[in-house]
Amino acid sequence: MSDPIREDGLYPMRLQRFLARAGVASRRGSERLMTAGRVRVNGVVVSELGSKVDPACDVVTVDGVECRIEASPAHLMLYKPAGYLTTMSDPQGRPTVAELVPVSEYPGLYPVGRLDMDTTGLLLFTTDGNLGQALLHPSRHVTKHYVALVSGTPDGRDLQALRRGVMLEDGPAAPAKAELLEEGDPLFSLVAPHGAGRTGGGERNAVVGLSIHEGRKHQVKKMMQAVGHKVLRLHRDAFGPLCLSGLEEGSWRMLDSDETRALEALCERREHQ
Ligand code: URA
């Protein structure tokens, strides 16, 4: 089980890791300090290398000098492949996105929202529970862009219905931006390059681009079904200011400082509205 989300973003960790993060020494150097009996936790010498500390409440000293670490939240994006559940653990032992991201390096990492098991694309992870919750809050209207391979070809009326807001079983969907990207029997791989191909069958398929800001379960699939087109493949290529471009399927990268600032600004701006 992963740790519960803590507001300070700090989690119990091995003492040598704590010392390294506090800038005292490298991990190896920290281990040497510990075995030399120079490290105390709450006044007690700790030399056992597996020992853990909780940075939120334990006082760690080296040669009598207190060391601290600052909470610095981690944010990363994963290019989720099909076949993985969006959860950090699955009691049934199915593959989960936790296997694809560095959870031991960043304890407390969790996915912001979810993609269905068969959906590919951009999945944001953070250790910052406040930021994650803020980004999912309906009032923030964070836009998500999807590319969907659908059965048949939506006509102008279907697209207008999506733009006005189709009725779903749990109430009307908010108006979406909807456009037809390819007609006929397209190669989905041109738009969403990984995990795609021709779907075969007699019906001609089409590729639709959809921008929505709600996050209901199976929302895009239900919206397309409401206008008579089954989603055959679904890919998310943008989440708020973040774009997937350049990332290989199944791989992740840390957000850069511009992306982090853009996400934080998105949350702050809405707070003041
Ligand atoms: N809408 C869906 O139907 N599925 C997803 O995975 C994401 C949005």
Side-chain angles (χ1 to χ4, degrees), residues 23 35 56 76 90 94 116 118 121 169 177 199 211 223:
T35 49
L76 62 86
D90 179 48
R94 290 168 295 180
D116 294 338
D118 57 354
E169 63 203 9
K177 280 192 185 146
T199 54
S211 283
M223 287 169 66

Side-chain angles (χ1 to χ4, degrees), residues 130-136 140 142 261-272:
N130 288 334
L131 185 85
Q133 277 168 26
L135 289 169
L136 291 182
R140 287 213 161 64
V142 174
R261 268 197 296 273
L263 280 187
E264 286 168 355
L266 194 64
C267 296
E268 279 157 23
R269 197 171 64 237
R270 305 284 178 179
E271 254 155 39
H272 295 132

Side-chain angles (χ1 to χ4, degrees), residues 114-116 119 146 216 218-222 234:
R114 67 189 297 282
L115 291 176
D116 294 338
T119 300
Y146 293 89
R216 290 191 243 165
H218 309 313
Q219 175 137 5
V220 172
K221 292 175 184 168
K222 286 181 177 164
L234 186 59

Side-chain angles (χ1 to χ4, degrees), residues 165-174 214 216-227:
V166 288
M167 183 55 78
L168 303 179
E169 63 203 9
D170 53 352
E214 293 176 302
R216 290 191 243 165
K217 205 169 178 194
H218 309 313
Q219 175 137 5
V220 172
K221 292 175 184 168
K222 286 181 177 164
M223 287 169 66
M224 291 309 306
Q225 197 64 63
V227 293

Side-chain angles (χ1 to χ4, degrees), residues 7 16 22 36 38 41-42 77 88 113 116 118 121 127 133 143 161 166 170 191 197-199 211 216 220 251 260:
E7 281 188 8
Q16 58 267 44
R38 294 167 61 186
V41 178
N42 303 323
M77 68 166 81
M88 295 310 275
D116 294 338
D118 57 354
T127 57
Q133 277 168 26
T143 303
V166 288
D170 53 352
V191 189
R198 282 177 204 272
T199 54
S211 283
R216 290 191 243 165
V220 172
S251 60
T260 302

Side-chain angles (χ1 to χ4, degrees), residues 80 82 115-116 118-121 145-149 188 192 208 210 218-221 224 231-236:
K80 178 191 171 297
L115 291 176
D116 294 338
D118 57 354
T119 300
T120 59
H145 187 260
Y146 293 89
V147 179
L149 176 68
F188 189 59
V208 176
L210 267 185
H218 309 313
Q219 175 137 5
V220 172
K221 292 175 184 168
M224 291 309 306
V231 170
L232 305 171
R233 293 212 175 95
L234 186 59
H235 175 81
R236 180 159 78 188

